[in-house]
Amino acid sequence: PLGQGWGPRLPLNSLKSDEAASGPKQGPTFQDGQRRVDYVLTYHVQKPQSVRRKTSRFADYRILRSLRRSLSTMRSGGTPPSKEDPEIAAHKHRLDYHEDDKRFRQTEFEDNLREVGLELEKDEGNKIPGIGFLKIHAPWNVLCREAEFMKLKMPTKKRINLFIHKVTAPLHPKVEPNRPQNVKHLSHPFSREKQHLYSVFYKYQPIGLIRKYFGEKIGLYFAWLGVYTQMLIPAAIVGVIVFLYGCATVDNDIPSMEICDPRNNITMCPLCDRACSYWKLKTACGTARASHLFDNPATVFFSIFMALWATMFMEHWKRRQMRLNYIWDLTGFEEEEDHHRAEYEIQVMQKTLKKQDMSPKVGLFPITHVQRFSSLVPLQIGVTFAVVFGVILYRISIRAALHMSSNPTARSNIRATVKGTAAVINLVIIIIMDEVYGAVARWLTLLEVPKTDKSFEERLIIKTFVLKFANAFSPIVYLAFFRGRMVGRPGDYVYVIGSYRMEECAHAGCLMELCIQLCITMLGKQLIQNNLFEIGIPKIKKLIRRRKSDMDSQQQEDYNMTLQRHEKDHFLGPFVGLSPEYMEMIIQFGMVTLFVASFPLAPLFALLNNIIEIRLDAKKFVTEVRRPIAARAKDIGIWYNLLRGLSKVAVIVNAFVISFTSDFIPRLVYQYMYSPDGSMHGFVNHTLSYFNVSDFQPGTAPLQPMHLGYEVQICRYKDYRETLWSNTPYDLSKEFWAILACRLAFVIVFQNVVMLMSDFVDWLIPDIPKDISLQIHKEKILMVELFMKEEEGKKLLRDNHTNQGPFQPRSRPASHAPSKC
């Protein structure tokens, strides 16, 4: 870890495209113009020595002298002189000690860098007041040594050439290896073709250049995002076809035609107590027709397709990742042992010292706060459900208020108003709580004090994912599986918090409202949280920084022209890691797969967003944040496990959506069990039960019973219950239990069949591409042959040396003997 006093670490951000193509320049260099700057550290410049106190001895003497002067003045009864307060002087003396300690740590850190062979050069110019830069150059021999430590392999052909060079080394003059002078400083991987511009969205990403400039970890992220976006193309096409099928068959849908038929004079029961009155079923015509766009037989096919699509995507990424591992020489890469975090070692040291004072037993023990703080995660999820419940109360109350309104426009658009405003409120709360949950997850992880950086990152990812996933999907889960399930019936409704009656679904089901909520949440998060924030926040920060500056725009431009590359990079934002980028894509993947049965256009919206997201991320990495530290990695880590888990859960969720949220199962049961002619005619009447208005509970009957112009004695409501003239009126009918059994059977069959098909696809597609597997096999054979030839050469040299004998003259001068490398 860096010593105290060091600021941000700046691996040099990229050169501009004109700098990269301007000739044989190597990029930023030391003052000699030869040594390339590979890394830059920033630090706060200390006060000039003439201002600061020279030594602590003189400072102590001044403090004592000031105290004596103050005491003598008090004894003489006079007023103290207007000198510096001794307490303030002592505080400044402590600050000097702190500054000296930081300067000592900084000097010690610089000496350690020099010991490992790095070359340093300080730049404490006056262009950025109070900021100094430490330029670092890694010589060629240091790079070679570190490459040996990291076990970097070279291609097989180079190894063969190296073997030939070693065999013929005695014939070559000895040359000291040196850094090649034609090595150029890497420019931006996007700069040559301006890959971060939106006009080139159709071009492939320069993954190889990204890896060379940013490292394998970031290269794998852009490769994964490209594969995910590419795989969304067939999903989006099939989703659009399913939607168009719904549009083409809406006029032939018999249940919606029966709802819209004015000849079916069906009077429905009130949707709320007292304020709501009776209404005609034909007023739900628009909702019924719109529901058919997403609730049709093609939805089941699309759910099966998306389950197989998720498996294909995971397999395609594994093959792509294996290919990149081979190309980037990561097949034999193993992560180094992760060192302990500084925070963990400090906590261990403090706990050990405290234990030492209390008991003679001394020992290190892991620092963990999981048991103490693990209850906070369920608490945060509980807060999320409380917010969802608050939105439920809003919908109930606003519906009652609109029914009591005297404005005819408001009364005619009650459903659309309630659905739209509730979805927007949910979106705003989700965006706000996302930021809160991100901070809470980080705070909880810091309290746990994980041992290593890898452990810290994994724990942070899991906590953030759990909280943000619950935040984003709680309203959707409520609409899909809970709304309309615990309502009761007219005369015996279920109430919460006094007189608030639980919500009912529309006659066409809750699938349409689920679709609206999913659409607004998905589009809102992508447009506002993912795109607008990524574009707007850096621009706002830049505008604020410009407003604080005393220079006008022309002076600011002239000032920027005088700054060097590392000085410009200092004003860029810090790199916060890849977790936010992965997290937003994982949440999007969940919305694409989990509830795709209710919203077949989700893959299309995700595809359009990701085309922009790739360019946004490229622009951000290139122009908005400092160049991150290059890190090696052979996979995307824990994110793959989260993706695989979501793809498995998506099968179960879609099975329940089709079975319980849509009308697919009730329609099949009616058509094959209760329809007199095997058609869907009479389905609407079959789903409606009867209620005698005289059975209303006191105080719940409509205030305007003559709203329709006639007295209503019997109204209808959507449920499967016994008729009024049966022996057990209002009890659940046998049709309800038959449909429930079919729903559960469908869930079991759908889940097992789709998962079996997914596992078959997983088994059918090999993880390693055939050409890569053959190439790896050939390289192993070549390596064995190479090692055998090398051993034969060594044996031949030993035999020649033995045949010469200890007293025979050497066949060549000692100066030409092969040197051991």
Short mmCIF file of all heavy atoms in Angstrom, two decimals, residues 5-8 41-48 99 102 106 123-133 559 567 570-571:
data_model
loop_
_atom_site.label_atom_id
_atom_site.label_comp_id
_atom_site.label_asym_id
_atom_site.label_seq_id
_atom_site.Cartn_x
_atom_site.Cartn_y
_atom_site.Cartn_z
N GLY A 5 0.30 10.53 2.57
CA GLY A 5 0.74 11.69 1.82
C GLY A 5 0.58 11.55 0.33
O GLY A 5 0.59 12.53 -0.38
N TRP A 6 0.40 10.31 -0.13
CA TRP A 6 0.23 10.11 -1.56
C TRP A 6 -1.22 10.30 -1.93
O TRP A 6 -2.12 9.90 -1.22
CB TRP A 6 0.69 8.73 -1.99
CG TRP A 6 2.18 8.60 -1.98
CD1 TRP A 6 2.94 7.91 -1.11
CD2 TRP A 6 3.09 9.22 -2.88
NE1 TRP A 6 4.26 8.04 -1.40
CE2 TRP A 6 4.39 8.85 -2.49
CE3 TRP A 6 2.94 10.06 -3.98
CZ2 TRP A 6 5.52 9.26 -3.15
CZ3 TRP A 6 4.07 10.47 -4.66
CH2 TRP A 6 5.34 10.09 -4.24
N GLY A 7 -1.43 10.90 -3.07
CA GLY A 7 -2.77 11.12 -3.57
C GLY A 7 -3.13 10.11 -4.62
O GLY A 7 -2.68 8.97 -4.58
N PRO A 8 -3.94 10.51 -5.59
CA PRO A 8 -4.38 9.56 -6.63
C PRO A 8 -3.22 9.02 -7.42
O PRO A 8 -2.23 9.70 -7.66
CB PRO A 8 -5.31 10.41 -7.51
CG PRO A 8 -5.68 11.58 -6.67
CD PRO A 8 -4.52 11.83 -5.75
N LEU A 41 2.44 9.32 -9.83
CA LEU A 41 1.82 9.47 -8.52
C LEU A 41 1.66 10.95 -8.22
O LEU A 41 2.54 11.76 -8.56
CB LEU A 41 2.67 8.82 -7.43
CG LEU A 41 2.90 7.31 -7.53
CD1 LEU A 41 3.82 6.85 -6.41
CD2 LEU A 41 1.59 6.56 -7.47
N THR A 42 0.56 11.31 -7.61
CA THR A 42 0.33 12.70 -7.22
C THR A 42 0.40 12.82 -5.70
O THR A 42 0.08 11.87 -4.99
CB THR A 42 -1.03 13.20 -7.70
OG1 THR A 42 -2.07 12.49 -7.02
CG2 THR A 42 -1.18 13.02 -9.19
N TYR A 43 0.81 13.99 -5.23
CA TYR A 43 0.91 14.23 -3.80
C TYR A 43 0.78 15.73 -3.56
O TYR A 43 0.92 16.56 -4.47
CB TYR A 43 2.23 13.71 -3.23
CG TYR A 43 3.46 14.31 -3.86
CD1 TYR A 43 4.09 15.44 -3.33
CD2 TYR A 43 4.00 13.75 -5.01
CE1 TYR A 43 5.21 15.98 -3.92
CE2 TYR A 43 5.12 14.28 -5.62
CZ TYR A 43 5.72 15.40 -5.07
OH TYR A 43 6.81 15.95 -5.67
N HIS A 44 0.49 16.08 -2.32
CA HIS A 44 0.39 17.47 -1.94
C HIS A 44 1.78 18.02 -1.65
O HIS A 44 2.55 17.42 -0.89
CB HIS A 44 -0.51 17.64 -0.72
CG HIS A 44 -1.94 17.29 -0.98
ND1 HIS A 44 -2.79 18.13 -1.67
CD2 HIS A 44 -2.66 16.19 -0.67
CE1 HIS A 44 -3.98 17.56 -1.75
NE2 HIS A 44 -3.94 16.38 -1.16
N VAL A 45 2.09 19.15 -2.23
CA VAL A 45 3.40 19.76 -2.04
C VAL A 45 3.45 20.37 -0.64
O VAL A 45 2.51 21.08 -0.22
CB VAL A 45 3.66 20.83 -3.11
CG1 VAL A 45 5.00 21.50 -2.88
CG2 VAL A 45 3.61 20.19 -4.49
N GLN A 46 4.54 20.09 0.09
CA GLN A 46 4.70 20.61 1.44
C GLN A 46 4.97 22.11 1.40
O GLN A 46 5.34 22.69 0.37
CB GLN A 46 5.86 19.89 2.15
CG GLN A 46 5.77 18.38 2.11
CD GLN A 46 4.59 17.87 2.93
OE1 GLN A 46 4.06 18.59 3.76
NE2 GLN A 46 4.18 16.64 2.66
N LYS A 47 4.78 22.75 2.56
CA LYS A 47 5.07 24.17 2.67
C LYS A 47 6.57 24.42 2.49
O LYS A 47 7.39 23.54 2.77
CB LYS A 47 4.63 24.69 4.04
CG LYS A 47 3.13 24.61 4.27
CD LYS A 47 2.80 25.13 5.65
CE LYS A 47 1.30 25.03 5.91
NZ LYS A 47 0.96 25.50 7.28
N PRO A 48 6.95 25.61 2.01
CA PRO A 48 8.38 25.91 1.88
C PRO A 48 9.08 25.82 3.23
O PRO A 48 8.50 26.12 4.28
CB PRO A 48 8.39 27.34 1.33
CG PRO A 48 7.04 27.52 0.71
CD PRO A 48 6.10 26.68 1.50
N GLU A 99 3.09 16.44 9.53
CA GLU A 99 3.65 16.68 8.20
C GLU A 99 5.01 16.02 8.05
O GLU A 99 5.32 15.43 7.01
CB GLU A 99 3.75 18.19 7.94
CG GLU A 99 2.42 18.92 7.84
CD GLU A 99 1.64 18.47 6.63
OE1 GLU A 99 2.27 18.06 5.63
OE2 GLU A 99 0.39 18.54 6.66
N LYS A 102 4.45 12.32 7.49
CA LYS A 102 4.02 12.03 6.12
C LYS A 102 5.18 12.17 5.15
O LYS A 102 5.32 11.37 4.22
CB LYS A 102 2.87 12.96 5.72
CG LYS A 102 1.56 12.67 6.42
CD LYS A 102 0.38 13.28 5.69
CE LYS A 102 0.48 14.78 5.63
NZ LYS A 102 -0.70 15.38 4.97
N GLN A 106 6.70 9.30 2.80
CA GLN A 106 6.81 9.49 1.36
C GLN A 106 8.23 9.21 0.88
O GLN A 106 8.43 8.55 -0.15
CB GLN A 106 6.39 10.92 1.01
CG GLN A 106 6.49 11.26 -0.46
CD GLN A 106 5.95 12.65 -0.75
OE1 GLN A 106 5.08 13.15 -0.06
NE2 GLN A 106 6.48 13.27 -1.78
N ASP A 123 8.07 16.40 -10.35
CA ASP A 123 7.62 17.57 -11.10
C ASP A 123 6.71 18.38 -10.17
O ASP A 123 5.55 18.02 -9.95
CB ASP A 123 6.86 17.15 -12.36
CG ASP A 123 6.41 18.35 -13.18
OD1 ASP A 123 6.78 19.48 -12.85
OD2 ASP A 123 5.67 18.14 -14.18
N GLU A 124 7.26 19.44 -9.61
CA GLU A 124 6.51 20.29 -8.69
C GLU A 124 6.38 21.69 -9.27
O GLU A 124 6.77 22.68 -8.68
CB GLU A 124 7.18 20.32 -7.31
CG GLU A 124 7.23 18.97 -6.62
CD GLU A 124 7.87 19.03 -5.25
OE1 GLU A 124 8.34 20.12 -4.88
OE2 GLU A 124 7.90 18.01 -4.55
N GLY A 125 5.83 21.74 -10.48
CA GLY A 125 5.63 23.03 -11.13
C GLY A 125 4.51 23.83 -10.49
O GLY A 125 3.81 23.37 -9.59
N ASN A 126 4.34 25.02 -10.97
CA ASN A 126 3.33 25.93 -10.42
C ASN A 126 2.05 25.96 -11.24
O ASN A 126 1.20 26.81 -11.02
CB ASN A 126 3.90 27.36 -10.34
CG ASN A 126 5.07 27.44 -9.39
OD1 ASN A 126 5.06 26.79 -8.34
ND2 ASN A 126 6.08 28.23 -9.74
N LYS A 127 1.89 25.05 -12.20
CA LYS A 127 0.68 25.05 -13.01
C LYS A 127 -0.55 24.63 -12.20
O LYS A 127 -1.64 25.15 -12.39
CB LYS A 127 0.86 24.13 -14.22
CG LYS A 127 1.92 24.62 -15.19
CD LYS A 127 2.07 23.66 -16.36
CE LYS A 127 3.16 24.12 -17.32
NZ LYS A 127 3.33 23.17 -18.45
N ILE A 128 -0.36 23.66 -11.31
CA ILE A 128 -1.44 23.22 -10.43
C ILE A 128 -0.96 23.48 -9.00
O ILE A 128 -0.17 22.71 -8.47
CB ILE A 128 -1.78 21.73 -10.63
CG1 ILE A 128 -2.11 21.46 -12.10
CG2 ILE A 128 -2.95 21.32 -9.75
CD1 ILE A 128 -2.43 20.02 -12.40
N PRO A 129 -1.39 24.54 -8.37
CA PRO A 129 -0.87 24.89 -7.04
C PRO A 129 -1.14 23.79 -6.02
O PRO A 129 -2.23 23.23 -5.96
CB PRO A 129 -1.63 26.18 -6.69
CG PRO A 129 -2.11 26.72 -8.00
CD PRO A 129 -2.35 25.53 -8.87
N GLY A 130 -0.10 23.50 -5.22
CA GLY A 130 -0.25 22.55 -4.14
C GLY A 130 -0.18 21.09 -4.55
O GLY A 130 -0.33 20.22 -3.70
N ILE A 131 0.02 20.79 -5.82
CA ILE A 131 0.05 19.41 -6.32
C ILE A 131 1.41 19.14 -6.95
O ILE A 131 1.89 19.93 -7.77
CB ILE A 131 -1.08 19.14 -7.33
CG1 ILE A 131 -2.43 19.33 -6.68
CG2 ILE A 131 -0.95 17.74 -7.91
CD1 ILE A 131 -2.74 18.35 -5.57
N GLY A 132 2.01 18.02 -6.55
CA GLY A 132 3.24 17.58 -7.17
C GLY A 132 3.05 16.23 -7.84
O GLY A 132 2.15 15.46 -7.47
N PHE A 133 3.89 15.94 -8.82
CA PHE A 133 3.79 14.69 -9.56
C PHE A 133 5.13 13.95 -9.46
O PHE A 133 6.20 14.56 -9.58
CB PHE A 133 3.46 14.94 -11.04
CG PHE A 133 2.15 15.60 -11.25
CD1 PHE A 133 2.04 16.98 -11.38
CD2 PHE A 133 0.98 14.87 -11.32
CE1 PHE A 133 0.83 17.60 -11.59
CE2 PHE A 133 -0.25 15.47 -11.53
CZ PHE A 133 -0.32 16.84 -11.65
N TYR A 559 -4.90 27.94 -20.85
CA TYR A 559 -4.28 27.26 -19.71
C TYR A 559 -4.19 25.76 -19.94
O TYR A 559 -3.18 25.13 -19.64
CB TYR A 559 -5.07 27.59 -18.44
CG TYR A 559 -4.64 26.81 -17.23
CD1 TYR A 559 -3.43 27.08 -16.58
CD2 TYR A 559 -5.46 25.80 -16.71
CE1 TYR A 559 -3.05 26.35 -15.46
CE2 TYR A 559 -5.08 25.08 -15.59
CZ TYR A 559 -3.88 25.36 -14.97
OH TYR A 559 -3.50 24.65 -13.87
N GLU A 567 -0.81 16.21 -16.16
CA GLU A 567 -1.49 17.30 -15.45
C GLU A 567 -2.96 17.39 -15.86
O GLU A 567 -3.83 17.69 -15.04
CB GLU A 567 -0.76 18.61 -15.72
CG GLU A 567 0.63 18.65 -15.12
CD GLU A 567 1.42 19.86 -15.57
OE1 GLU A 567 1.18 20.34 -16.70
OE2 GLU A 567 2.29 20.32 -14.81
N HIS A 570 -4.94 14.71 -14.12
CA HIS A 570 -5.21 14.94 -12.70
C HIS A 570 -6.62 15.49 -12.48
O HIS A 570 -7.22 15.23 -11.43
CB HIS A 570 -4.18 15.91 -12.14
CG HIS A 570 -4.42 16.29 -10.70
ND1 HIS A 570 -4.19 15.42 -9.65
CD2 HIS A 570 -4.90 17.43 -10.14
CE1 HIS A 570 -4.51 16.01 -8.53
NE2 HIS A 570 -4.94 17.22 -8.78
N PHE A 571 -7.15 16.22 -13.44
CA PHE A 571 -8.48 16.81 -13.30
C PHE A 571 -9.59 15.81 -13.65
O PHE A 571 -10.77 16.14 -13.50
CB PHE A 571 -8.60 18.05 -14.19
CG PHE A 571 -7.72 19.19 -13.75
CD1 PHE A 571 -6.58 19.53 -14.46
CD2 PHE A 571 -8.02 19.91 -12.61
CE1 PHE A 571 -5.78 20.57 -14.06
CE2 PHE A 571 -7.21 20.96 -12.19
CZ PHE A 571 -6.09 21.28 -12.92
#
